[in-house]
Amino acid sequence: MAAVVIAVHATFAARLDHLFQLGVLAVLVGILAAALVMQFAYGELPCPLCLLERVAMFGVGFAIVQNFRNGFSERMTGLALIFAVLLLVIATRQSMLDIAPRPGHAYIGSAVLGLHMPVWAAVIGLLLILAHALKITLLGASAPGATPMPLLAAAGRVLGLALLGLCAVNFVAVVLQCGLNECHTFSYQLLS
Amino acid sequence: MMAAIFGAMLLALVLAELRRTLLANAAIALCIVLALWLFQWEIHSPETGYAIPWLRW
């Protein structure tokens, strides 16, 4: 009886873990898509640190895609946390860069709910770390090799492909904006 | 450099989709190293190093 209860609990925890990772991936895809909308629809070219923040978010997404594609592993949770910390460090440094008004330095882009992009990036980094800490505290380590339910696996596949598509668009945009040189926010270097 | 970072990330995601786990992890490791190098290069100033003197009162 006790063995059955433990097995049911482990299965339930694994399902919640998969749902959690799917949720994080969906949020990341949404944020990265919104960043591209701001870039192309509103003409807000990303600065170098903004682009590095996108890389960090893609890194967290990569770790989750690896879990869904190649089996769940706590190593990928570690990788996601590394990228989340990288996002927090870059965003905090960028926020400090523009926090004191001075000539030539102002927050890039529009404010959303009164907060500018680097501040939002810091909040996202912090929330990613907290969410993973909470997940590990409540659910324990990801069950190695656990298979997600077919619906969750399909959703993970779709979101993984969406993340791949977003990364491809970002890659082309970066090549157009920066070429092989330093990135600037004035224009797309290869189009001017 | 930024193009190389996004190229490495794109490669890592493609390899993950193709279930080439080891190669995908190698590409993501390259991406992290390049991103860290570019980050420190972006925030470093020849005059003040990594300091942020505009926040000193």
Side-chain angles (χ1 to χ4, degrees):
Chain A
M1 182 63 183
V4 172
V5 171
I6 290 169
V8 168
H9 178 265
T11 307
F12 182 65
R15 296 280 183 267
L16 281 180
D17 180 23
H18 301 162
L19 204 57
F20 163 80
Q21 300 208 27
L22 200 63
V24 172
L25 188 57
V27 169
L28 286 171
V29 166
I31 291 169
L32 289 163
L36 282 183
V37 169
M38 296 294 281
Q39 179 173 347
F40 294 120
Y42 297 95
E44 295 186 357
L45 261 69
C47 62
L49 292 182
C50 312
L51 287 169
L52 286 176
E53 286 156 12
R54 286 187 194 180
V55 168
M57 287 189 221
F58 274 115
V60 177
F62 167 83
I64 297 173
V65 168
Q66 276 281 58
N67 272 341
F68 273 98
R69 288 296 286 161
N70 301 310
F72 285 78
S73 151
E74 208 56 9
R75 283 183 179 163
M76 287 302 128
T77 304
L79 185 65
L81 283 170
I82 288 173
F83 275 109
V85 169
L86 184 65
L87 173 62
L88 183 59
V89 169
I90 296 171
T92 304
R93 184 61 172 75
Q94 192 188 358
S95 297
M96 284 195 290
L97 198 67
D98 301 327
I99 201 166
R102 61 203 164 101
H105 283 271
Y107 280 127
I108 289 171
S110 317
V112 178
L113 298 175
L115 299 181
H116 282 83
M117 198 282 300
V119 183
W120 273 116
V123 170
I124 292 164
L126 192 62
L127 287 178
L128 282 171
I129 294 167
L130 279 175
H132 278 88
L134 203 61
K135 191 268 286 188
I136 294 168
T137 306
L138 294 176
L139 304 178
S142 294
T147 315
M149 288 192 299
L151 185 66
L152 294 185
R157 182 112 174 85
V158 170
L159 287 171
L161 289 173
L163 192 76
L164 180 58
L166 287 170
C167 190
V169 173
N170 267 285
F171 174 65
V172 173
V174 162
V175 170
L176 290 176
Q177 183 185 345
C178 314
L180 297 176
N181 307 314
E182 197 178 338
C183 295
H184 294 293
T185 52
F186 322 130
S187 64
Y188 292 97
Q189 285 187 34
L190 295 190
L191 297 181
S192 55
Chain B
M1 179 58 77
M2 193 65 82
I5 293 170
F6 273 89
M9 178 60 75
L10 183 59
L11 184 65
L13 284 167
V14 169
L15 290 168
E17 280 297 327
L18 297 175
R19 296 181 186 270
R20 305 283 179 149
T21 309
L22 202 62
L23 289 174
N25 289 344
I28 205 74
L30 175 67
C31 181
I32 292 176
V33 170
L34 291 176
L36 284 174
W37 188 88
L38 186 60
F39 173 58
Q40 69 80 28
W41 184 83
E42 286 286 347
I43 64 171
H44 185 266
S45 152
E47 292 85 31
T48 59
Y50 296 104
I52 41 178
W54 57 93
L55 289 185
R56 288 179 191 155
W57 285 280

